[in-house]
Amino acid sequence: MKICVLSIDGGGVRGIIPAIILEYIENRIIEITKNPKVRLSDFLDFTAGTSSGSIISSMIIIPDEHGKPTYKMSDITQTYFNLAEVIFKKNFWRDFKTVWGLFGPRYSSTNINNKLLKKLNHWKLKDLLLPCAFTGYDTVKRCPIIYTNKDNNKKYGDYFVKDIVRGSMTIPSIFKPAYFRDGTDINTLINGSIFANNPAMIAYIEVTKTKKLLNKHKKITPENVLFLSFGTGISKLTKYPYQKIKKWGKIKWFSPILDILFQSTSEITNYQMQKFFGLYNSQDNFIRINPPIVRGSSSTQNASKENMKHLHQDALNYITANKIMLNNLAEELVKQDNRYATILF
């Protein structure tokens, strides 16, 4: 049986795309197993996420009072629609006061804090159903932080999930940094996307360090890992020709450089993962799902109802065009579970 890993990129409101596709996969799993109570997390061994991906990845493995997954993927999808609308709600007076984010965070953190608390409650990282990894960058320690819960150190087990997710999704100038502590350990966190918008490689490394998974396989290699890597959509890339950018300074470069940074780090990680799995002749075990954005906006902050509807449609169009592949993927996940593999296949 393979170790099944889910990794989800950052992407702001575009995170609705992987959420919708994962909802389809979960529904397909329910059809295959003929068990309406099963959830996607029942067929995973590890989850990872950056920024918006950390919201989805964490909600998948939030436990209820019986130690079962709290949320169905349809719940998470609906939550994402609601979160996007509230978190990125435009306020003219705040825009005016901050000069559209030039002199202060453009969006209030109050709504995001309240919404995350409501959905993630007071769960700690150690309470989550599966081993996981979430990213953030600490501006005081000046280093990337990988928040994990089931590795040998168990350093971050007592941290609240809501704090880590809040930090992972904090884009500088968009939201104020997350600030939280555990004992004497103070965390001042901004978006993990600045170093790992695509957390796939980080997820794989953490999988190989997780004792629970090492008990399943003495040696973890791409041959015994089924890796699902979700992007938040491929949009038409803005080109920056020489004549246009040659005289740009800090202000003009700010937004474009973020766009370039997030896109390029995702692409290079995907390239590395494909080559790495290929070295073991296991390229089929690495599955990258990153639909084209045709109707929706490439913006990570456009939470208008119209754009969310367009992103939803882009995800549905991808599902329609790739239904056989997604059905096979759902079947492959079920095959890795002893409870169903011997009965159904």
Side-chain angles (χ1 to χ4, degrees), residues 137-143 145 147 155-156 159 178-189:
Y137 187 89
D138 194 303
T139 59
V140 176
K141 298 170 186 170
R142 287 305 303 268
C143 66
I145 306 288
Y147 292 95
K155 178 179 178 180
Y156 301 110
Y159 283 70
Y179 179 86
F180 55 94
R181 66 192 304 162
D182 182 61
T184 59
D185 187 23
I186 298 173
N187 295 253
T188 306
L189 221 61

Side-chain angles (χ1 to χ4, degrees), residues 204-314:
Y204 182 86
I205 291 170
E206 294 303 324
V207 164
T208 65
K209 294 162 49 183
T210 302
K211 188 174 181 180
K212 179 181 177 181
L213 302 181
L214 287 168
N215 291 336
K216 189 172 183 178
H217 290 282
K218 290 183 179 180
K219 185 178 181 181
I220 297 175
T221 70
E223 296 166 304
N224 51 39
V225 173
L226 178 62
F227 202 108
L228 280 60
S229 174
F230 278 78
T232 56
I234 303 172
S235 58
K236 186 177 180 180
L237 297 178
T238 302
K239 297 181 180 180
Y240 302 103
Y242 173 74
Q243 291 299 329
K244 181 178 180 179
I245 65 175
K246 65 180 181 179
K247 293 184 179 180
W248 278 8
K250 290 181 180 180
I251 292 178
K252 284 204 170 184
W253 265 114
F254 180 75
S255 291
I257 204 65
L258 284 178
D259 175 44
I260 293 168
L261 182 67
F262 293 167
Q263 176 255 332
S264 60
T265 57
S266 290
E267 284 190 359
I268 196 62
T269 299
N270 184 49
Y271 171 82
Q272 291 166 338
M273 290 294 288
Q274 287 179 336
K275 294 299 181 182
F276 179 58
F277 273 67
L279 288 174
Y280 288 81
N281 293 318
S282 301
Q283 51 269 29
D284 291 342
N285 286 350
F286 177 74
I287 300 162
R288 176 69 170 170
I289 295 177
N290 198 18
I293 295 177
V294 178
R295 296 169 61 88
S297 167
S298 63
S299 170
T300 59
Q301 301 167 42
N302 184 350
S304 67
K305 289 184 178 179
E306 182 181 21
N307 186 53
M308 296 303 289
K309 187 183 297 183
H310 288 331
L311 292 173
H312 187 188
Q313 191 58 53
D314 281 330

Side-chain angles (χ1 to χ4, degrees), residues 117-135:
L117 177 60
K118 186 176 180 180
K119 289 299 177 181
L120 302 178
N121 206 323
H122 290 288
W123 292 110
K124 294 183 176 181
L125 213 56
K126 66 183 179 184
D127 300 321
L128 297 180
L129 294 171
L130 294 176
C132 58
F134 306 118
T135 64

